[in-house]
Amino acid sequence: MDDRLQCEVLVVGAGYAGLAAARELRRRGVEVLVAEARDRVGGRVWTETTPSGALVDHGGQWVGPGQDHLQALADELSVGTFPTYTTGEGVELRQGRRSTYGGLIPTSDPAAAAEGVEAIFDLDLAAQDVPLEAPWTAPGAEALDGQTLGTWLGDRLKSPGARSTIDAAVKGVFGAEPGEMSLLFALFYLHAGGGLMNLARTTGGAQERRFVGGAQQMARAMAAELGERVLLSSPVRDFAYGDDAVVATVEDMGGTGSGRGSGDGEGAGGRRTVAARRAIVAMPPAVSARIEWRPALPAARSQLAMRAPMGAVVKVHAVYDEPFWRDEGLNGQLVADEGALRITFDDSPPGAEHGVLMGFAAGNDSRALDRLPDGERRRVLLEDLARAFGPRAATPVELVEQRWCLEPYTGGGPVAVCSPGMLTGCGPALRAPVGAVHWAGTETATRWCGYIDGALSSGRRAAAEVLAALGR
Amino acid sequence: MDDRLQCEVLVVGAGYAGLAAARELRRRGVEVLVAEARDRVGGRVWTETTPSGALVDHGGQWVGPGQDHLQALADELSVGTFPTYTTGEGVELRQGRRSTYGGLIPTSDPAAAAEGVEAIFDLDLAAQDVPLEAPWTAPGAEALDGQTLGTWLGDRLKSPGARSTIDAAVKGVFGAEPGEMSLLFALFYLHAGGGLMNLARTTGGAQERRFVGGAQQMARAMAAELGERVLLSSPVRDFAYGDDAVVATVEDMGGTGSGRGSGDGEGAGGRRTVAARRAIVAMPPAVSARIEWRPALPAARSQLAMRAPMGAVVKVHAVYDEPFWRDEGLNGQLVADEGALRITFDDSPPGAEHGVLMGFAAGNDSRALDRLPDGERRRVLLEDLARAFGPRAATPVELVEQRWCLEPYTGGGPVAVCSPGMLTGCGPALRAPVGAVHWAGTETATRWCGYIDGALSSGRRAAAEVLAALGR
């Protein structure tokens, strides 16, 4: 059972970061192995055909202006894109009343809308002062990092309406409450993605286009190039490292099953060791903390991993015979100040043979939803959809939930959200190699942190570090 | 190799919480097994005789008024106590100047001292409003939990001197910066321990007395009662659970070695499974997240574990031929506004055959210290001691560091510090059983959270839950 494998570089994690790193290394003739805990590649990007035949992206799905790494990869692999559907008006639910709005910002309370827009501009302006390579060196970094985004918003916004609109946007973007995250981190993240306005919008922003055939296929294509070098169902349990070598103990979980996570466990398979000259660990910091590191990681690195909790998100797809809301002049977008689903999008396929509404339950709403039994969760979600889009929304052909907090190798989503104090206390450990171990993953990106694009650039950056270390 | 063990209740963790739980269950005739990852019992309490012959407590060491669980256990096991040495004046280092002070609060800047004391009283008063069983139900809980203690102090304190004194106390108590932790959590914690003034002081407070022979011996005595029911060097890797049964996969790391943590790893030993009707998991939340749970834990529980990072602390003992500072009228206590060691105590043995100064590097100071190579760390620590206690302090017989952040089964110390948003977002999951799994550990305590006393009461509370579930 003690199968021993050898390679030059071990990559842990076959999400976009790990695959991009492995691919880059392969192209330079480096022998790589990629150990992936799940029985699929793609990490937080996962496309599935549902029982009713709809193609849904359970995780990351969009590409927008400025995401050049992702767009170039799609072009290279001949994966097409199409615009997110945005024709018509959005639905706003505020204090129990439903209205519709055009443009970017719900306007039923015009004063609140104006105040909210101003705050977004101020946030995005402040974000410009945070250096992307080293947010901990921003002017006043300690003070910014010692408070939450919630504190900043609370000091700034006088109207509850403005606050609830911004909260909905923040929760949609981060999967977390404004009161959970460091203000310095929020500013860094906004800067890295071109600002909150950019991150929140469809046309011209981060949700502009979708991939024909789903967002996971570029990961599948990269994995196919790597062939047997990608070991699925192979979580790393134990990781011994020095300055010039690593030995990882990899569990063999069998490689079959539903794609839903952790394998079937007890006594499953044996263990392999993989020896390599260097390693790239491409996973969220919190997940990397589950590995047994020998020797123990430096304090700043292990403390960092405890201060980068994953956001909480349930991504929901409701599949209908047709996109009926379009006939009513609606674009499928919702902004709500209560309920589980506070943000939705029209996620119908191109050509719209059927209609799909997709929504997020985020932060506390996600965790509250998760506490309900299956039937009750379904009831709550359908109620939210019907309140926004009318009674037809209550009877979808299919309702698909992806509960990211229950994925053991992700722990939540869409991204790690730095707790106050993390960046100034531990930040430099984000990317600093530890002996022969290099770090990748979208959380380590300096542009589009939290996005597929950031995952790709982080993998390439780590590959470049490794190539330099190997003298290649 | 697949050794299968069976018991009624599996306890994971042989710190004070786990041992108290196991002992309680044994007394009621329940068959227990305790799986402990380390090759010693006691968890964050660990007494060692150093090479020079000094008996040092690397972790928890004190008992004070109101810590009735701990005092009763010591009485029962005939472990004596003696008062922490407090005769004489403390040393204050402020803005590069050294002075001495009597009483509780450094007074070189009297206005700052007055402002600081007022803030402590206000904090302690506010803490009274936080219900110990359910801090998330406090009036205004969301607002309190959406900001850091640092924000509260920043709004409240005008003089930098007052802020630096409070910061030193907070860092000493929590091992964390005020800007890292939720204000609601800080208030809860202070309430649970009788207030910041109580937690920071020696006589009459949480550091009042020490144990003759060290603080770990009650853990050893409880473990001795349990005998072979305590499995050392047995980290739980995989934990399958249902409503009425659990099966844990336990690594066998061999059970020898230095006591410094994780065993020697690669390919060490085999695995055992332990089947039980119920389990008590008695470890810090962040450490419990390293186990592979099947099925995945509920969202609130796994998200909680990512939002309860361990504080950072290096505990340092400097051993001298004699307690020379006593002759100079000093009590060995230091409060400093810079340096690695900002808080010290006289930790000499009773009878004082030799002298021991003990200090903490906490929060960012701890992580910064950890980044230095061995010799450089030593130089920094000795410089800090000499600045406070004169040149003789620079040449101890022995300098002993305990770097808790490098302990893989603790991850830091002295306690988990809840990030903003954790208590209101996930708090009820702290103690809520998940199927047949119950939670203990000082982080789950409602009195003396973070202290040995809280560990004991948490273990007993979990044991009572299990007894009720078993109908015993």
Side-chain angles (χ1 to χ4, degrees):
Chain A
M1 80 153 223
D2 212 45
D3 199 357
R4 287 174 189 274
L5 301 173
Q6 201 127 17
C7 60
E8 284 181 277
V9 179
L10 168 64
V11 176
V12 185
Y16 272 86
L19 291 170
R23 191 178 195 233
E24 195 76 14
L25 292 170
R26 271 304 298 148
R27 291 184 167 189
R28 301 288 288 269
V30 176
E31 270 311 321
V32 299
L33 282 174
V34 183
E36 165 58 45
R38 296 183 173 88
D39 61 4
R40 61 169 182 82
V41 299
R44 282 168 266 180
V45 180
W46 180 20
T47 310
E48 254 195 343
T49 301
T50 69
S52 81
L55 192 77
V56 302
D57 270 312
H58 292 304
Q61 69 172 61
W62 285 294
V63 60
Q67 298 183 348
D68 302 334
H69 291 272
L70 179 53
Q71 187 59 59
L73 181 66
D75 291 344
E76 184 193 336
L77 298 171
S78 302
V79 174
T81 65
F82 64 99
T84 302
Y85 185 84
T86 58
T87 309
E89 297 205 302
V91 174
E92 176 181 8
L93 292 172
R94 185 189 292 279
Q95 301 196 296
R97 291 183 48 197
R98 180 182 184 279
S99 51
T100 59
Y101 67 97
L104 293 172
I105 304 277
T107 46
S108 73
D109 178 344
E115 199 187 354
V117 169
E118 207 183 318
I120 291 176
F121 284 130
D122 285 351
L123 261 182
D124 289 350
L125 198 63
Q128 305 293 318
D129 292 336
V130 176
L132 295 176
E133 301 285 335
W136 43 90
T137 63
E142 277 203 25
L144 296 171
D145 202 30
Q147 63 183 290
T148 66
L149 172 60
T151 292
W152 189 94
L153 292 172
D155 289 349
R156 187 74 180 60
L157 295 170
K158 298 307 160 209
S159 87
R163 179 67 195 261
S164 78
T165 301
I166 305 264
D167 280 5
V170 167
K171 287 162 71 150
V173 167
F174 293 93
E177 307 292 327
E180 283 185 85
M181 73 187 81
S182 154
L183 175 58
L184 180 64
F185 165 73
L187 294 173
F188 155 75
Y189 195 89
L190 298 180
H191 189 187
L196 180 55
M197 191 63 96
N198 195 44
L199 292 181
R201 70 182 167 173
T202 44
T203 309
Q207 283 75 238
E208 186 176 75
R209 305 181 71 80
R210 295 161 55 205
F211 293 100
V212 181
Q216 193 190 357
Q217 60 191 311
M218 287 88 77
R220 290 196 191 118
M222 288 193 286
E225 286 177 16
L226 292 161
E228 292 187 349
R229 294 180 186 87
V230 180
L231 312 173
L232 295 179
S233 303
S234 299
V236 171
R237 298 295 186 208
D238 181 289
F239 206 110
Y241 65 94
D243 285 338
D244 302 302
V246 304
V247 180
T249 306
V250 177
E251 198 95 7
D252 181 358
M253 304 296 276
T256 58
S258 67
R260 298 213 162 244
S262 70
D264 65 348
E266 191 197 338
R271 290 189 237 183
R272 298 168 160 179
T273 59
V274 182
R277 293 178 60 193
R278 302 199 86 79
I280 293 174
V281 175
M283 50 171 72
V287 180
S288 74
R290 297 180 52 201
I291 294 171
E292 186 87 23
W293 294 93
R294 292 180 298 113
L297 291 172
R301 175 72 209 181
S302 71
Q303 292 255 311
L304 174 152
M306 293 187 283
R307 286 160 172 79
M310 300 306 289
V313 67
V314 178
K315 189 173 183 183
V316 178
H317 286 87
V319 182
Y320 303 92
D321 287 330
E322 52 177 9
F324 60 86
W325 54 92
R326 295 184 180 180
D327 298 336
E328 296 161 31
L330 298 177
N331 62 18
Q333 293 179 34
L334 165 71
V335 176
D337 66 355
E338 57 170 358
L341 290 181
R342 301 199 185 187
I343 297 273
T344 66
F345 295 89
D346 182 324
D347 223 26
S348 309
E353 57 269 28
H354 52 261
V356 180
L357 286 172
M358 181 274 284
F360 297 112
N364 285 341
D365 308 331
S366 168
R367 292 182 286 258
L369 189 67
D370 188 83
R371 275 192 281 275
L372 305 176
D374 290 354
E376 186 66 10
R377 274 203 321 282
R378 190 184 159 84
R379 195 188 59 71
V380 164
L381 292 168
L382 293 177
E383 249 178 46
D384 282 358
L385 287 167
R387 194 162 44 187
F389 297 102
R392 283 188 70 179
T395 54
V397 177
E398 194 176 23
L399 186 73
V400 183
E401 295 170 84
Q402 172 57 20
R403 300 158 73 190
W404 281 102
C405 294
L406 304 187
E407 291 272 314
Y409 296 111
T410 312
V415 65
V417 169
C418 300
S419 301
M422 185 282 234
L423 284 172
T424 48
C426 320
L430 252 179
R431 283 182 297 279
V434 178
V437 180
H438 300 257
W439 308 98
T442 192
E443 278 77 13
T444 69
T446 55
R447 293 302 311 268
W448 294 105
C449 176
Y451 289 76
I452 307 173
D453 194 80
L456 289 169
S457 64
S458 81
R460 288 168 185 163
R461 187 256 317 141
E465 288 173 13
V466 165
L467 287 167
L470 293 176
R472 296 282 267 277
Chain B
M1 83 154 221
D2 212 45
D3 200 356
R4 287 172 188 276
L5 300 173
Q6 201 127 17
C7 60
E8 283 180 279
V9 179
L10 168 64
V11 176
V12 184
Y16 272 87
L19 291 170
R23 191 178 196 232
E24 195 74 15
L25 292 169
R26 271 304 298 150
R27 292 184 167 188
R28 302 288 289 269
V30 177
E31 270 311 321
V32 299
L33 282 174
V34 183
E36 165 59 45
R38 294 182 173 88
D39 60 4
R40 62 168 182 81
V41 300
R44 283 168 265 180
V45 180
W46 181 21
T47 311
E48 254 194 341
T49 302
T50 69
S52 81
L55 192 77
V56 301
D57 271 312
H58 292 304
Q61 70 172 58
W62 285 294
V63 60
Q67 298 182 348
D68 301 335
H69 290 273
L70 179 53
Q71 186 59 58
L73 180 66
D75 291 345
E76 184 192 336
L77 297 171
S78 302
V79 174
T81 64
F82 64 99
T84 302
Y85 184 84
T86 57
T87 309
E89 298 205 302
V91 174
E92 177 183 7
L93 290 172
R94 186 189 292 277
Q95 300 194 295
R97 291 183 49 198
R98 179 182 184 280
S99 52
T100 59
Y101 67 98
L104 292 171
I105 303 277
T107 47
S108 72
D109 178 345
E115 199 187 354
V117 170
E118 207 182 315
I120 291 176
F121 283 131
D122 285 352
L123 261 183
D124 288 351
L125 197 64
Q128 305 292 319
D129 291 336
V130 176
L132 295 175
E133 301 284 336
W136 44 89
T137 63
E142 277 204 24
L144 295 172
D145 201 30
Q147 64 183 290
T148 66
L149 172 59
T151 293
W152 189 95
L153 293 173
D155 289 349
R156 186 75 180 59
L157 296 171
K158 298 309 160 208
S159 87
R163 179 68 195 260
S164 78
T165 302
I166 305 264
D167 280 5
V170 167
K171 287 163 71 151
V173 167
F174 292 94
E177 307 291 327
E180 283 186 85
M181 74 187 80
S182 154
L183 175 59
L184 180 64
F185 165 73
L187 294 173
F188 155 76
Y189 194 89
L190 297 181
H191 189 187
L196 180 55
M197 191 64 96
N198 195 43
L199 293 182
R201 70 181 169 174
T202 44
T203 310
Q207 283 76 236
E208 185 174 77
R209 303 181 72 80
R210 295 161 54 204
F211 293 100
V212 181
Q216 193 190 356
Q217 60 191 309
M218 288 86 78
R220 290 196 191 119
M222 289 193 285
E225 286 178 17
L226 292 161
E228 293 187 349
R229 293 180 187 88
V230 180
L231 312 173
L232 295 179
S233 304
S234 300
V236 171
R237 298 298 185 204
D238 180 291
F239 205 110
Y241 66 94
D243 285 338
D244 303 300
V246 303
V247 181
T249 306
V250 177
E251 199 94 8
D252 181 358
M253 305 295 277
T256 59
S258 67
R260 297 210 164 246
S262 71
D264 65 347
E266 191 197 338
R271 292 190 236 182
R272 298 168 160 179
T273 59
V274 182
R277 291 178 62 192
R278 303 199 86 80
I280 294 174
V281 175
M283 49 171 73
V287 180
S288 74
R290 296 180 52 200
I291 295 173
E292 186 85 24
W293 294 93
R294 292 179 298 113
L297 291 173
R301 174 73 210 181
S302 70
Q303 291 257 312
L304 174 151
M306 293 188 283
R307 286 161 173 77
M310 300 304 290
V313 69
V314 178
K315 190 173 183 182
V316 178
H317 286 86
V319 183
Y320 304 91
D321 287 330
E322 52 176 9
F324 60 86
W325 53 92
R326 294 185 181 180
D327 297 337
E328 298 161 28
L330 299 177
N331 61 19
Q333 292 178 36
L334 165 71
V335 176
D337 65 356
E338 57 171 358
L341 289 182
R342 302 199 185 188
I343 297 273
T344 67
F345 294 90
D346 182 324
D347 223 26
S348 309
E353 57 270 27
H354 52 261
V356 180
L357 286 172
M358 181 275 284
F360 296 112
N364 285 341
D365 308 331
S366 168
R367 292 182 286 257
L369 189 68
D370 187 84
R371 275 192 280 275
L372 304 176
D374 289 355
E376 185 66 9
R377 274 203 321 281
R378 188 184 161 85
R379 194 188 60 71
V380 164
L381 293 168
L382 293 177
E383 250 179 46
D384 282 358
L385 287 167
R387 193 161 47 187
F389 297 103
R392 283 188 69 178
T395 54
V397 176
E398 193 176 24
L399 186 73
V400 182
E401 296 171 82
Q402 172 58 20
R403 300 158 72 189
W404 281 101
C405 294
L406 304 186
E407 291 273 312
Y409 296 111
T410 312
V415 64
V417 169
C418 299
S419 301
M422 185 281 236
L423 284 173
T424 48
C426 319
L430 253 179
R431 284 182 297 278
V434 178
V437 181
H438 301 256
W439 308 99
T442 191
E443 278 77 13
T444 70
T446 55
R447 293 302 309 270
W448 295 105
C449 177
Y451 289 76
I452 307 174
D453 194 80
L456 290 169
S457 65
S458 81
R460 289 168 185 163
R461 187 257 316 142
E465 289 173 11
V466 165
L467 288 167
L470 294 175
R472 298 280 267 277

